[in-house]
Amino acid sequence: MGDIVAIEMRGAWLGNRGILHRGDQLVRSHVSDLWIVCALEHQDWRLPQWAPHHFTVLFFHDEAVALAAGHRPCALCRRDAYDAYRQAWSAEIGVAVPDATQINRQLHGERIVRGTHRRRLHRMSWPSLPVGTFVVVEGEPRLVLEDSTVAWTTQGYAGARSRPRTGTVDAVTPPSTLAALRGGYRPQVDDAAIRLQG
């Protein structure tokens, strides 16, 4: 849902929304519209947590979770993924390949209700949702797979259910990222989710 929570699970990706902390306390949810998903390792860089004047190091369970939170691939440490994401976005929407500024601005308007810190959800039809989308079902975030959905919890994925073929649902993943997923961008999804669908 884009909330920042402390849990025990190991993250597969690093996230950046700017300097969100003072000391070892979070004091804001974001500083700008730049929300990126980075590799855990890049060159020999070391990123200290809670360091003054350095961005707050966030972690994501898998890339589908990061995209649902409203982040996009980093253009520096994940250049191939960044280029694939924006090419897929362009192909699906039928626009010129966007630059980072355009992507950031568009995603920011889709993830947060303007003038607040409240999460925006987007009513979508079940058949329109690509694999890798997050939705809210009965108050619970669920990952959409081919024929099922699986719940995301702070302990990982659990509880597979059949995916509805009709009706509508609230999507957490921003619409522009849904377009990139429809256009062929394939996010990394934790193997546990795949195993649960049977």
Side-chain angles (χ1 to χ4, degrees):
M1 301 298 294
D3 299 326
I4 300 172
V5 296
I7 59 175
E8 293 295 322
M9 281 195 308
R10 169 96 172 134
W13 301 97
L14 185 143
N16 179 357
R17 295 183 194 175
I19 301 171
L20 313 181
H21 65 281
R22 187 176 301 121
D24 62 358
Q25 300 295 311
L26 290 176
V27 295
R28 60 185 62 88
S29 67
H30 65 279
V31 248
S32 72
D33 62 9
L34 173 66
W35 297 24
I36 54 177
V37 187
C38 298
L40 289 178
E41 296 180 12
H42 180 66
Q43 298 177 2
D44 60 350
W45 295 2
R46 295 287 177 261
L47 300 172
Q49 184 64 290
W50 310 120
H53 314 295
H54 290 274
F55 75 84
T56 306
V57 180
L58 307 174
F59 296 96
F60 293 107
H61 181 64
D62 64 16
E63 191 179 14
V65 169
L67 295 178
H71 291 239
R72 55 121 175 124
C74 175
L76 176 64
C77 66
R78 300 186 61 215
R79 188 68 195 201
D80 289 347
Y82 168 74
D83 286 339
Y85 177 89
R86 54 196 206 116
Q87 291 285 346
W89 170 319
S90 167
E92 183 63 20
I93 297 175
V95 297
V97 176
D99 64 21
T101 300
Q102 293 167 316
I103 293 171
N104 296 343
R105 187 178 304 124
Q106 181 68 29
L107 287 178
H108 202 60
E110 294 176 354
R111 62 187 164 227
I112 294 175
V113 176
R114 187 182 175 107
T116 74
H117 294 290
R118 284 190 337 228
R119 184 59 196 223
R120 277 188 74 185
L121 300 177
H122 304 272
R123 200 74 179 163
M124 300 282 181
S125 71
W126 276 105
S128 74
L129 298 176
V131 170
T133 301
F134 264 87
V135 296
V136 176
V137 177
E138 298 170 0
E140 167 182 77
R142 299 189 71 85
L143 173 67
V144 175
L145 300 171
E146 288 289 350
D147 298 313
S148 62
T149 68
V150 292
W152 188 88
T153 73
T154 54
Q155 289 79 45
Y157 288 108
R161 292 184 190 169
S162 293
R163 174 181 172 165
R165 294 298 174 196
T166 60
T168 60
V169 67
D170 285 329
V172 180
T173 308
S176 293
T177 293
L178 294 182
L181 297 179
R182 283 189 207 101
Y185 186 78
R186 296 291 173 255
Q188 176 268 334
V189 174
D190 185 72
D191 288 342
I194 308 304
R195 288 193 299 271
L196 281 168
Q197 69 179 336

